[in-house]
Amino acid sequence: AQSVTQLDSHVSVSEGTPVLLRCNYSSSYSPSLFWYVQHPNKGLQLLLKYTSAATLVKGINGFEAEFKKSETSFHLTKPSAHMSDAAEYFCVVSDSRNTPLVFGKGTRLSVIA
Amino acid sequence: DGGITQSPKYLFRKEGQNVTLSCEQNLNHDAMYWYRQDPGQGLRLIYYSQIVNDFQKGDIAEGYSVSREKKESFPLTVTSAQKNPTAFYLCASSMGTGAYNEQFFGPGTRLTVL
């Protein structure tokens, strides 16, 4: 069965410093992996996705993630945090079977001025 | 504008009443989904539909019902059997289910049962 674990429920960084949000996954098949962002009281927006092409995936707003099969990880990074990055971030996995996406519990990112 | 609309944005109901949440998409997607979001619990799948006139239960279907009579519409009814219905409800759609198919989300409906 597929599953995803977001290792931190809350991350706090200063504006201008790097962001690292950690995600580990479990899948019996070749997975597709996604990161979504949710601002307060809004729907979710896709940041980036991995679908077995390049292992380093670039997304919107300067975010990127690296798929590491040996570590079963898909961590999200950004070189320099901006105040507008403060939001909830969800790591999501799907394997090759005809099943819906599986969401992690989310990581709340706070950015301090 | 292509996208997913949910209405209303805020909904208040008395305990014991059924309530229906609307979800419409004009993306020509086959699959549609309903999620419930509670603080600290991420998104939990209630129901999903891969095609018109067909739907499957998700992880927390008890106390909810859905219909899929049209491709673009997937309304969710929260029945009086749902023990704790106050939550943020999100509707999504995708081309298909499974790998490679990212989901597109609506803005959500916040339901409060008094």
Side-chain angles (χ1 to χ4, degrees):
Chain A
Q2 54 190 344
S3 66
V4 62
T5 302
Q6 293 185 242
L7 298 169
D8 306 290
S9 60
H10 182 214
V11 170
S12 183
V13 301
S14 297
E15 191 175 21
T17 64
V19 175
L20 170 64
L21 305 183
R22 300 182 296 164
C23 173
N24 286 352
Y25 71 90
S26 172
S27 175
S28 302
Y29 303 88
S30 298
S32 292
L33 292 154
F34 310 81
W35 276 99
Y36 282 83
V37 61
Q38 183 184 32
H39 289 90
N41 294 310
K42 303 288 187 186
L44 277 70
Q45 180 185 17
L46 181 68
L47 273 179
L48 50 82
K49 66 177 179 180
Y50 166 77
T51 56
S52 75
T55 56
L56 183 62
V57 182
K58 293 190 184 299
I60 62 172
N61 300 333
F63 284 94
E64 62 181 39
E66 186 170 8
F67 173 72
K68 291 188 177 181
K69 187 175 181 179
S70 60
E71 299 176 11
T72 61
S73 69
F74 190 58
H75 301 335
L76 182 70
T77 60
K78 183 173 181 178
S80 176
H82 191 271
M83 295 298 290
S84 61
D85 295 327
E88 189 94 17
Y89 291 80
F90 293 94
C91 183
V92 185
V93 65
S94 179
D95 63 24
S96 58
R97 295 173 296 174
N98 195 28
T99 54
L101 305 182
V102 174
F103 286 76
K105 292 191 183 298
T107 298
R108 182 165 60 90
L109 175 65
S110 298
V111 181
I112 303 165
Chain B
D1 251 347
I4 302 175
T5 57
Q6 292 185 243
S7 60
K9 187 172 177 64
Y10 298 96
L11 190 55
F12 297 88
R13 280 295 181 268
K14 291 183 179 178
E15 196 171 339
Q17 289 182 333
N18 291 358
V19 60
T20 297
L21 281 60
S22 168
C23 178
E24 304 275 333
Q25 55 100 358
N26 61 4
L27 301 169
N28 200 33
H29 285 168
D30 287 319
M32 296 187 74
Y33 312 81
W34 273 107
Y35 293 93
R36 171 180 171 140
Q37 187 175 26
D38 297 282
Q41 297 201 43
L43 273 67
R44 292 184 290 170
L45 183 64
I46 304 172
Y47 269 99
Y48 67 102
S49 168
Q50 295 174 292
I51 199 167
V52 174
N53 293 323
D54 185 48
F55 48 82
Q56 287 80 40
K57 292 182 179 180
D59 300 319
I60 56 164
E62 185 175 350
Y64 299 97
S65 66
V66 294
S67 62
R68 187 86 186 278
E69 297 176 2
K70 298 186 296 182
K71 187 175 186 177
E72 59 270 22
S73 178
F74 191 42
L76 173 74
T77 296
V78 184
T79 74
S80 56
Q82 169 49 235
K83 290 182 171 50
N84 185 18
T86 294
F88 190 52
Y89 290 87
L90 286 161
C91 178
S93 71
S94 63
M95 288 294 291
T97 54
Y100 313 117
N101 288 292
E102 71 257 35
Q103 292 179 12
F104 296 79
F105 283 82
T109 293
R110 185 165 297 281
L111 172 64
T112 302
V113 176
L114 306 171

